[in-house]
Amino acid sequence: MELVTAQDLKKTYTGDIPIEAIRGVNFTIQPASFVSFVGPSGSGKSTLLNMIGCLDPPTSGTLTVAGQDVSLLKVKSAAAFRGKNIGFIFQDFNLIPVLTVFENIEYPLQMVQNRPAQERRKRVKELLAAVGMVEQGHKFPHQISGGQKQRVAVARALVTQAKLVLADEPTANLDRETALRIIALMKDMRDKFGTTFIFSTHDPKIVENAEKVFVIEDGTMRESNSGGERHV
Amino acid sequence: MFNILKIAGRNLLRYKRRTLLTSTLVTLGVVAVLLFISASGSFKNMMIGQITDSMLGHIQVHQKGYLAAIDSLPLNLNMKENQVMKIREILEKHPEVEAFSPRIKIGAMFSNYAETTNIRLNAVIPEMELKTVPLLRDRIIGGNSKILLQKGEILVPELLAKGMKVQVGDDIVLVATNKDGSVNGQSFRVGGIVVGISGPGGRDGYIHLEDAQSLLRMEAKEVSEIAIRLKSMGRLDTVSTALNSELESIRNKMDKPVFEVHTWARLTPFFNIVKMIDLMTLFIKIMLVAIVLVSIMNVMVMSVYERIREIGTIAAMGTSPNKILLLFLTEGTLLGLLGATLGVMVSLIAITALRAAQLSFDFGQQKGLVLNPTIGVADMVAISAIVVCIAVIGSLQPAWKAAKMDPITALRHT
Ligand SMILES: Nc1ncnc2c1ncn2[C@@H]1O[C@H](COP(=O)(O)OP(=O)(O)OP(=O)(O)O)[C@@H](O)[C@H]1O
Ligand SMILES: [Mg+2]
């Protein structure tokens, strides 16, 4: 069964001049896939990711995520749905400055899912090891590098065993080498935990690592052969 | 919840200077209020104590209408002997009454054989008077303050003694008009000088009750007033109400109550000063509330504004709006709590210092009364509770704003 299904999905921003950011797209995403949304600035990548992430409701069409129709979720149930099913990775890392690396990863388990302390410790340790940050657990975000911050963010997105991780331009604030390492880490995590990753990017070098690429242009979408497949 | 406290606490530490500034402001407010309450309370208690314990007593009973006519010290409004007996009976078995003292109030002519002047006198039974107003003893200069006075002696008010140049041991004559209008004189020895205090009755002299009865040629043992001392001043209102309703039941032939019962508050204009002090305390409390409200609200609005992206992040991750609300409410509340705690601590230190400094002030003719500020646990708890409540109220609006934030808009905020 598909993890994400969109049918004739549209998003129009109302305002002085209504903007049709997404103009009726259809796509499906399988579980455990590694997907990239590519396209020029303003094409609608973020808009699409926000809808899949239940942060923004579509204007029309249907959108099913993890078996649930999410197009009509209310604010509170959308928050609950995100907390249960979706992990987020942000362009600016967005770690909580007053929490240590360990506590940042622990945050969704504690403040969103209310898991018991023992389980939290076990999960956080597992994720710290998986992203190679065991030594940095006690540090605060301002004490680690950008690449390390994004590793922590990856761990935080995965700690709840979310089915889907959404990453809007996760490498835009990193140098090329670090960016490739983060993408490689995400792919590792997909292999290890079977989590689906969808990330957006401009960078063709990064796109090469995706297994499936959706090209977005002016609110419409077409599937392209991925860079990864081209290499083969 | 512990985690919310942790995050809120660390966010306060993150902006140390601002936290310090705001909590200092709250602290100053709390200190101002507590110091005012304690100093004014001390002044108030001393003033009340001085007036009640050296002159008025806590409660007084008169014949109905006496108080309204007290300026002329009307002898025809004295309580009759049988009425006095009834009151004595009630007071003697009353569990809350510590002591009482019957008095005759007289206006008379005072002559030192060279000059003559007017004098107002309280005629008392010394032992009963001293039990009812024990601090009267401290107002006596010369003579035997232990027994107050003996029969045949008079305690002369200080100012009158100066003006008439009389000293302890001198002989003087009192001339008084009795109820029927006939005049009688009697000679007295000056047994002591009595220092005046502020307020009506504060410059009266004292003679023995039996001397007054013979001076006024009273056949029956009438008295003008009965002053009462209670075991506990805190029960004043309850006891006075109870006493009033008990005495109300004693009626005259026209079925009107014979007696009137007044607490000290009705007998001295200083009660208005007490009321004024209470009013000022209220105003200072209102100012405290305003300070806390404005400063906490201001800080929390800033706090929310600076952390919009953070709020967007935790909201995107699925933190419920209620939890976000709680996070900011906790932060504001902690700030209030910090200010209140510091305030109470600083106040306690300041009050201890004030006590050690032995500050003194004058009250009327009373010089060098030592200010003895104290503060009750109840006051400290009440003020802290007010501060914390206002801190919650002040954080409510900003916290609500944070909770309602749309994650996408918040995340896009720069
Ligand atoms: N909240 C909004 N209100 C109005 N218009 C919006 C809003 N968000 C996005 N848009 C518009 O929708 C279109 C798609 O924007 P979107 O942010 O999805 O593009 P993007 O592909 O993510 O671009 P970039 O690569 O620059 O991040 C743009 O024309 C943008 O101006
Ligand atoms: Mg974008």
Side-chain angles (χ1 to χ4, degrees), chain B residues 255-274:
Chain B
D255 198 33
K256 291 260 167 59
V258 179
F259 302 112
E260 52 189 13
V261 176
H262 296 288
T263 61
W264 68 270
R266 295 284 307 279
L267 300 167
T268 169
F270 283 101
F271 181 60
N272 291 322
I273 296 185
V274 170

Side-chain angles (χ1 to χ4, degrees), chain A residues 105 127 130-133 146-156 178 181-182 185:
Chain A
I105 300 173
L127 264 300
V131 300
M133 291 288 290
Q148 287 177 320
K149 281 183 201 166
Q150 206 57 310
R151 283 172 181 273
V152 176
V154 170
R156 180 175 67 179
T178 315
R181 257 196 246 133
I182 288 293
L185 174 73

Side-chain angles (χ1 to χ4, degrees), chain B residues 140-289:
Chain B
I140 312 284
I141 306 172
N144 188 348
S145 66
K146 234 181 222 135
I147 56 163
L148 201 63
L149 50 73
Q150 290 174 311
K151 263 179 248 173
E153 283 185 341
I154 176 171
L155 300 177
V156 183
E158 192 183 22
L159 291 178
L160 194 133
K162 270 196 194 128
M164 300 290 283
K165 299 193 181 63
V166 297
Q167 284 165 356
V168 176
D170 288 359
D171 286 321
I172 61 97
V173 172
L174 290 180
V175 178
T177 312
N178 71 15
K179 208 156 59 168
D180 319 319
S182 63
V183 173
N184 187 33
Q186 201 170 314
S187 74
F188 288 83
R189 166 156 297 148
V190 176
I193 308 293
V194 52
V195 178
I197 63 169
S198 308
R203 289 177 195 167
D204 290 359
Y206 287 84
I207 57 173
H208 199 287
L209 191 79
E210 287 176 22
D211 288 338
Q213 281 160 351
S214 70
L215 177 66
L216 295 171
R217 294 203 175 109
M218 272 183 183
E219 275 133 41
K221 291 182 172 143
E222 299 179 357
V223 300
S224 317
E225 73 187 16
I226 296 177
I228 300 166
R229 179 179 183 77
L230 300 182
K231 287 186 177 137
S232 149
M233 178 89 154
R235 309 255 306 140
L236 180 68
D237 288 331
T238 332
V239 178
S240 113
T241 315
L243 211 55
N244 198 15
S245 63
E246 206 166 343
L247 293 181
E248 281 248 297
S249 62
I250 302 173
R251 302 282 169 139
N252 63 13
K253 287 175 202 111
M254 272 109 77
D255 198 33
K256 291 260 167 59
V258 179
F259 302 112
E260 52 189 13
V261 176
H262 296 288
T263 61
W264 68 270
R266 295 284 307 279
L267 300 167
T268 169
F270 283 101
F271 181 60
N272 291 322
I273 296 185
V274 170
K275 280 211 300 217
M276 192 106 90
I277 289 174
D278 291 344
L279 197 67
M280 273 161 71
T281 311
L282 180 70
F283 277 128
I284 291 200
K285 279 184 191 165
I286 292 172
M287 265 162 64
L288 174 73
V289 166

